[in-house]
Amino acid sequence: MSFLRSTLFSLPMIAATAVPLASHPHVFIDAGANLIFDDAGQLAAVRVFWAYDEFYSMLLIEDNGLDTDGDGTPEQAALDAYAGKDVDWDAGFPGDLYLQNEGADVGLSGPVEHGMRYEEGRVVSWHIRPLKTRLKVGSEPVLAQIYDPTFFVAYDLHLPVTVEGAEACAVEQIPADLGAAYDKVESLLYGPDSAEYSEDSYPEVGHLFADKMLLTCSE
């Protein structure tokens, strides 16, 4: 998301040296996920959905010329051509999707499909992240979370979370403890052991604000 960060930091209201608690996050995204199983009953990929907030959607449309006729609505053909460019994989962007199985990180490949649409003043983007090694899921939950470690972007699981290709599997959503998350951030920034942070060294607290998706399958 190099475009996202460079665009926002070009605005005077966000140019800052010290980082107060209120300066994070800068972008708000409603997220969803579709957990995809293959014909062998293994977890194969995750389709991730992002609905950008209205302000960032406006920046994305204007800065990338997606509204060619100037009527305030981006053309679907322009969105189709731009799909996938909102995630800067070449710059090493990890994708803000994290999976764990039995406490170990699950490797994810880069996206293999992209899509984009515009609805109710917001750009909605999606992509698929295949697992590097497919998983047999049982009663021990596989943990999935969507978050930006630096909390520059705030994700909320307001879009659907579904399972595809496995009727015996289900996802339980557990909301983040926001009170505890903000207490931890305040301690890191202003507590007795706090350090002076800049935009480039903001503590990695995004996981504290991340809802959990617990995927299980019956035998």
Side-chain angles (χ1 to χ4, degrees):
M1 284 191 180
S2 60
F3 163 77
L4 183 156
R5 294 176 183 265
S6 62
T7 298
L8 289 177
F9 282 124
S10 69
L11 301 176
M13 68 178 179
I14 295 185
T17 52
V19 184
L21 176 62
S23 74
H24 275 256
H26 297 315
V27 181
F28 298 86
I29 295 178
D30 288 343
N34 177 219
L35 300 149
I36 303 170
F37 284 75
D38 62 17
D39 293 340
Q42 295 181 310
L43 180 62
V46 181
R47 181 181 290 108
V48 181
F49 296 88
W50 294 347
Y52 294 103
D53 65 68
E54 291 185 2
F55 177 65
Y56 180 66
S57 293
M58 178 189 69
L59 292 179
L60 190 152
I61 292 166
E62 290 184 354
D63 284 21
N64 293 281
L66 303 181
D67 179 15
T68 57
D69 60 10
D71 67 352
T73 300
E75 289 71 39
Q76 185 59 51
L79 292 172
D80 291 342
Y82 184 76
K85 296 178 182 177
D86 56 328
V87 287
D88 191 357
W89 305 107
D90 291 340
F93 174 57
D96 290 351
L97 172 66
Y98 299 89
L99 269 64
Q100 284 193 335
N101 181 43
E102 297 181 348
D105 293 337
V106 175
L108 296 167
S109 299
V112 295
E113 293 182 23
H114 300 280
M116 190 170 278
R117 67 177 183 269
Y118 182 74
E119 57 185 33
E120 298 181 353
R122 303 175 71 179
V123 172
V124 181
S125 169
W126 63 91
H127 53 271
I128 292 179
R129 300 288 305 279
L131 276 64
K132 290 184 176 179
T133 301
R134 298 185 178 192
L135 291 178
K136 181 69 175 179
V137 182
S139 58
E140 182 69 24
V142 171
L143 170 64
Q145 291 180 288
I146 300 173
Y147 64 88
D148 171 13
T150 65
F151 203 42
F152 185 96
V153 180
Y155 293 92
D156 288 308
L157 280 180
H158 289 162
L159 301 183
V161 176
T162 60
V163 175
E164 179 181 325
E167 294 183 359
C169 302
V171 181
E172 178 186 4
Q173 293 180 231
I174 301 178
D177 186 339
L178 297 182
Y182 278 113
D183 286 346
K184 179 64 173 177
V185 172
E186 185 131 8
S187 175
L188 288 170
L189 294 179
Y190 308 121
D193 299 321
S194 64
E196 186 169 336
Y197 295 100
S198 69
E199 259 325 319
D200 294 330
S201 66
Y202 193 81
E204 294 195 347
V205 297
H207 65 286
L208 300 174
F209 295 86
D211 296 341
K212 295 179 179 179
M213 295 173 279
L214 300 179
L215 173 67
T216 56
C217 299
S218 60
E219 299 294 341

